Amino acid sequence: MEQKTFFIKTFGCQMNERDSEIMAQSLAGYGFIEGMDMYAADLVILNTCSIRAKAEQKVMSLLGYLRKFKEKRPDMQICVAGCVAQQEGARIIERMPHVNLVIGTQNIYDLGALLEKSVSQGSQVVTGLKNDYDIPRFLPEIALPENSFSATSPALSSRFRKFVTIMQGCNNYCTYCVVPYTRGREVSRKVKDIVDEVKVLVNSGIKEITLLGQNVNSYGKTNQVDPSNAKYAFADLLKDVSEISGLARLRFTTSNPKDLTDELMRCFRDIKNLCAQFHLPVQAGSDRTLQRMNRKYTVAQYLEKVDKLHEYCPEIALTTDVIVGFPGETDEDFAETMNLLETVRFHGSFSFKYSDRPGTRASQFEDKVAEHVKSERLALFQKRQDEISIERNREYLGKVKKVMIEENDTTGAKGRTETNHIVHFTEPLSSAPGDIVNARIFFAGQHSLQGKIENQH
Ligand code: SAH
Ligand code: SF4
Ligand code: F3S
């Protein structure tokens, strides 16, 4: 019998990418293989993101487009997963009756059974969110052949770098953010499940792990993660994972500055394989805006943490997220965000125009900022960030950096520094992908560096 093919299109954050990988693995158990063409697949899964209105619109327009293919091949199954699925539920089927299954963020582990049910009983919507959700134990099967490429999740098809989810949901309720509604209450995975998963990955050749959660700093706060230690916190997890033999590099994302403890910051000094790179979203540079965002820290507190991080790890590369045009943001407030950028000189940042999201407190605020003002502020911020990024990159000129090789062929090679900068080599290297080499940086561009192998004598 010919095997059925699936295609997963992933939108949004790394948590979604990880979830796509889990869905892909469980589909293999139901006799599916991954196809390379979405429009020819027997099963199409859109793993969706709802963080800004644009992200949601993209999903709806792709769903509309898929209708034509489904009309030609009525056996084609279409499943909507992820944050838009969680948020919209049955409304998706009302608007898009060709959708077979709408599956919420906590239900992906039941995907196979739910698909079978949708075949026998018609379209299904399963979007329950439990307050006492326990993330199922899940062990990855790594069977990626050499140079494999996964259309489901190109970022995850790396044979050397993987993401491991350590928690789900968020309890912070930043006033602009939809995540607490789409991912539910915060719950941390058991230490043992995480450590076992990382061991499986490292034993199969993975060299770099990124621990994932919406706010990893509060790991272990809402449920006990270690049966013998009620105080087990994220810094403990970092230490335990870092000691897994064979793990060359460890990273994590994302952190809310309000929960960033001194103990966690010291990990950047004390844990040798924890990379000197930190994504610490600030969102705004004005205390008034931060308060209305419900971020629970001030600019001064943020800057204090930045100083501490530099003290513990002078080479640390900091990146951030910024929202411009939050309701009520004045020219003065925005000027303070620009000041903060000048003060910290982030290596890079992701910046967004504020977008109203359903159910959030900020969507009820009345003092919305005009679209053209948001656009102007975004352009100003991004222009200055680009200039700073290139200046930051130039600081590496002439220096020797450790680079983990990701690709190497006859035309050249590519890898990453501990600070997460991409380094290109214009000549092929004798090292294999996954190796860590010393490279002297001789060129710094906007988005990447160029290096030459530094021979060790
Ligand atoms: N948990 C992470 C953020 C995840 S969402 C944290 O707390 O830092 C990723 C980024 O999207 C956020 O940092 C924020 O900058 C942006 N974002 C979230 N909601 C938004 C909205 N309604 N409009 C614009 N940007 C938003
Ligand atoms: Fe959203 Fe705030 Fe939670 Fe981050 S910490 S996911 S921005 S509510
Ligand atoms: Fe998007 Fe959901 Fe992630 S809203 S950013 S996919 S948690």
Side-chain angles (χ1 to χ4, degrees):
M1 198 183 79
E2 205 183 319
Q3 275 194 306
K4 287 191 170 178
T5 58
F6 72 86
F7 189 99
I8 307 181
K9 168 96 179 144
T10 310
F11 300 84
C13 64
Q14 291 141 327
M15 318 252 320
N16 258 13
E17 293 199 29
R18 179 73 190 117
D19 285 352
S20 290
E21 200 178 45
I22 289 168
M23 290 193 279
Q25 186 174 320
S26 74
L27 285 171
Y30 282 80
F32 282 91
I33 53 165
E34 186 178 357
M36 287 311 222
D37 177 3
M38 168 158 59
Y39 304 105
D42 297 301
L43 167 65
V44 177
I45 298 179
L46 305 189
N47 195 7
T48 62
C49 173
S50 168
I51 200 79
R52 285 167 289 276
K54 238 193 213 154
E56 187 180 340
Q57 284 151 13
K58 264 197 238 165
V59 171
M60 288 304 171
S61 68
L62 180 55
L63 273 180
Y65 187 64
L66 280 168
R67 186 196 305 256
K68 282 190 292 191
F69 295 88
K70 171 110 181 178
E71 277 163 8
K72 277 188 220 138
R73 285 192 300 121
D75 282 348
M76 180 185 205
Q77 275 179 290
I78 300 177
C79 168
V80 186
C83 290
V84 177
Q86 188 65 53
Q87 177 189 296
E88 294 299 307
R91 284 195 293 270
I92 294 180
I93 308 246
E94 283 160 26
R95 282 173 65 185
M96 307 277 170
H98 57 293
V99 170
N100 300 83
L101 178 62
V102 176
I103 187 173
T105 48
Q106 288 181 357
N107 313 106
I108 57 166
Y109 295 87
D110 305 323
L111 174 66
L114 292 169
L115 278 169
E116 285 183 346
K117 199 167 166 199
S118 73
V119 170
S120 60
Q121 299 178 17
S123 297
Q124 301 282 316
V125 179
V126 182
T127 52
L129 270 187
K130 286 196 237 142
N131 278 339
D132 58 347
Y133 177 65
D134 216 0
I135 305 171
R137 188 173 159 79
F138 175 85
L139 287 181
E141 286 162 16
I142 301 287
L144 290 172
E146 290 266 313
N147 301 322
S148 71
F149 174 82
S150 164
T152 291
S153 190
L156 290 169
S157 65
S158 164
R159 281 184 295 130
F160 312 103
R161 310 166 66 216
K162 287 276 177 194
F163 297 130
V164 170
T165 300
I166 63 162
M167 55 208 293
Q168 274 278 10
C170 184
N171 287 354
N172 284 326
Y173 291 96
C174 301
T175 53
Y176 50 83
C177 185
V178 79
V179 170
Y181 309 98
T182 60
R183 293 270 169 180
R185 309 297 291 162
E186 184 176 301
V187 49
S188 300
R189 283 180 81 188
K190 301 276 178 289
V191 181
K192 186 173 186 315
D193 289 357
I194 296 167
V195 168
D196 287 353
E197 184 170 327
V198 174
K199 281 184 182 159
V200 169
L201 292 168
V202 171
N203 286 338
S204 67
I206 297 296
K207 300 271 172 63
E208 176 180 313
I209 292 286
T210 303
L211 303 177
L212 289 182
Q214 288 299 353
N215 179 19
V216 291
N217 302 1
S218 62
Y219 175 78
K221 280 201 182 148
T222 54
N223 57 301
Q224 192 165 340
V225 288
D226 178 2
S228 60
N229 179 2
K231 291 213 177 85
Y232 195 100
F234 183 58
D236 300 305
L237 181 70
L238 271 182
K239 281 180 204 127
D240 285 347
V241 172
S242 73
E243 283 164 11
I244 293 173
S245 151
L247 181 67
R249 287 181 169 187
L250 179 60
R251 303 180 195 272
F252 62 88
T253 199
T254 304
S255 305
N256 187 317
K258 81 177 165 68
D259 298 314
L260 179 55
T261 59
D262 199 62
E263 193 191 6
L264 181 51
M265 290 193 276
R266 269 184 274 127
C267 290
F268 283 103
R269 180 192 66 194
D270 299 337
I271 298 180
K272 290 295 159 251
N273 50 0
L274 181 63
C275 291
Q277 169 247 318
F278 195 18
H279 186 62
L280 190 61
V282 68
Q283 310 301 356
S286 128
D287 285 341
R288 203 180 68 88
T289 307
L290 285 174
Q291 195 177 15
R292 284 172 45 104
M293 287 176 160
N294 191 31
R295 291 289 287 182
K296 300 199 176 89
Y297 53 84
T298 61
V299 174
Q301 286 166 335
Y302 185 88
L303 291 174
E304 223 172 89
K305 295 195 172 171
V306 167
D307 284 347
K308 266 263 145 72
L309 285 162
H310 280 126
E311 184 189 322
Y312 292 139
C313 179
E315 66 277 21
I316 200 161
L318 295 178
T319 54
T320 202
D321 289 348
V322 161
I323 297 176
V324 299
F326 184 78
E329 185 187 71
T330 61
D331 285 344
E332 290 72 34
D333 291 324
F334 175 65
E336 290 191 55
T337 299
M338 293 298 288
N339 280 342
L340 179 85
L341 174 59
E342 296 302 335
T343 308
V344 183
R345 296 171 48 77
F346 295 102
H347 280 74
S349 63
F350 298 97
S351 48
F352 314 97
K353 289 193 267 184
Y354 167 78
S355 165
D356 263 344
R357 303 312 294 133
T360 60
R361 281 193 3 240
S363 67
Q364 307 296 319
F365 292 175
E366 280 172 5
D367 43 1
K368 297 279 154 62
V369 173
E371 198 55 37
H372 74 274
V373 175
K374 287 196 261 183
S375 303
E376 281 163 20
R377 289 180 186 168
L378 187 70
L380 275 172
F381 184 90
Q382 291 184 338
K383 179 165 178 284
R384 188 62 194 127
Q385 174 68 71
D386 283 353
E387 289 164 2
I388 291 174
S389 295
I390 196 159
E391 287 163 17
R392 281 293 199 185
N393 284 352
R394 285 189 186 131
E395 291 171 11
Y396 295 115
L397 286 173
K399 304 233 164 86
V400 175
K401 295 280 151 200
K402 289 204 173 336
V403 177
M404 186 190 285
I405 302 302
E406 291 174 7
E407 290 166 26
N408 185 16
D409 59 32
T410 51
T411 59
K414 186 180 131 183
R416 247 171 235 269
T417 62
E418 288 180 22
T419 49
N420 219 12
H421 289 82
I422 292 174
V423 180
H424 291 284
F425 298 85
T426 48
E427 294 154 16
L429 306 182
S430 55
S431 337
D435 287 352
I436 295 179
V437 299
N438 283 319
R440 192 174 290 276
I441 306 303
F442 68 88
F443 175 81
Q446 178 75 61
H447 301 290
S448 63
L449 308 170
Q450 275 187 45
K452 267 198 171 17
I453 295 292
E454 178 84 355
N455 289 320
Q456 289 163 299
H457 296 290

